[in-house]
Amino acid sequence: MSTQAGSTKVGSKQAELNAIEITYLRHSLGLSAAQVGELAKASEADVIAWEAGQAPVSGLAAKKLLELDETIEMQVLNTCDGIEELFKKEPKRRLSFVVYPTQAIYTQYNPEFLSSLPLTELYNTAAWRIKKECKLVLEVDVSLVALDVEAYKAYREKEGLKESRESRAKWAATQL
């Protein structure tokens, strides 16, 4: 199987994105042109040229963005399945998810996700998609709560909690 300029193999499939597709995929992931350039080992100018149709889309960029989109979709599916199970036992219909206002805070609190979702925007995009899916399919309202580090630390201290994803979730629930 031959590859054309601007395409790459993803598994057994060809990943080809045209200018419009790369633009909308970038927007759907919540990434800037500079961030796509960083992920694809290209410059921001390269990304702008791809999106303007002035250069073929890098095969590496197409592969990386499609992989990230697939990772997010799997996270949405797995999380929504877990929420559906939760609501079989608990009838409440409101949840809150912590999202991260900066890359530094995201990196500090989520080192386990950095290999699959290296940028806070990607994690927050996953949370947004989970919110939408939960509303549409499960009729569950999910609120996205930006982590306020000082308020979170004060809450943990007051409640005698250690740092954990569960503690962040409990703090976020108090923000509703």
Side-chain angles (χ1 to χ4, degrees):
M1 178 184 279
S2 66
T3 58
Q4 300 170 352
S7 67
T8 189
K9 292 181 183 179
V10 177
S12 61
K13 299 182 227 167
Q14 283 287 89
E16 287 187 48
L17 298 176
N18 65 32
I20 292 169
E21 292 166 336
I22 191 108
T23 301
Y24 285 110
L25 182 54
R26 176 177 69 79
H27 286 294
S28 78
L29 293 171
L31 298 176
S32 69
Q35 289 169 316
V36 170
E38 183 182 324
L39 290 169
K41 300 178 181 9
S43 70
E44 182 177 3
D46 291 334
V47 176
I48 292 168
W50 302 335
E51 292 183 355
Q54 298 168 345
V57 175
S58 155
L60 178 60
K63 180 179 184 231
K64 284 271 191 194
L65 293 182
L66 289 168
E67 285 174 352
L68 288 167
D69 190 62
E70 188 172 307
T71 298
I72 288 171
E73 287 304 311
M74 288 304 299
Q75 188 173 20
V76 170
L77 179 66
N78 292 336
T79 303
C80 289
D81 286 349
I83 290 169
E84 187 174 30
E85 281 301 309
L86 172 71
F87 287 139
K88 285 181 179 177
K89 299 172 191 144
E90 295 182 33
K92 67 180 179 177
R93 292 303 211 203
R94 288 189 54 80
L95 287 174
S96 56
F97 285 179
V98 174
V99 292
Y100 300 88
T102 67
Q103 184 67 34
I105 293 172
Y106 174 67
T107 301
Q108 177 184 349
Y109 285 97
N110 291 289
E112 72 275 16
F113 290 126
L114 294 178
S115 61
S116 59
L117 298 174
L119 302 171
T120 187
E121 289 84 357
L122 295 168
Y123 181 90
N124 294 347
T125 294
W128 174 255
R129 290 184 187 179
I130 290 166
K131 172 186 172 76
K132 298 303 292 175
E133 186 76 8
C134 283
K135 182 66 176 171
L136 292 172
V137 176
L138 304 176
E139 297 178 355
V140 172
D141 288 318
V142 174
S143 297
L144 303 181
V145 178
L147 183 64
D148 177 329
V149 174
E150 294 308 314
Y152 169 59
K153 285 180 181 178
Y155 170 79
R156 271 193 5 237
E157 188 175 307
K158 178 181 169 229
E159 298 295 322
L161 299 171
K162 300 229 183 279
E163 163 40 36
S164 69
R165 291 181 69 194
E166 291 77 20
S167 294
R168 290 192 302 270
K170 287 177 183 177
W171 171 80
T174 68
Q175 304 303 299
L176 293 179

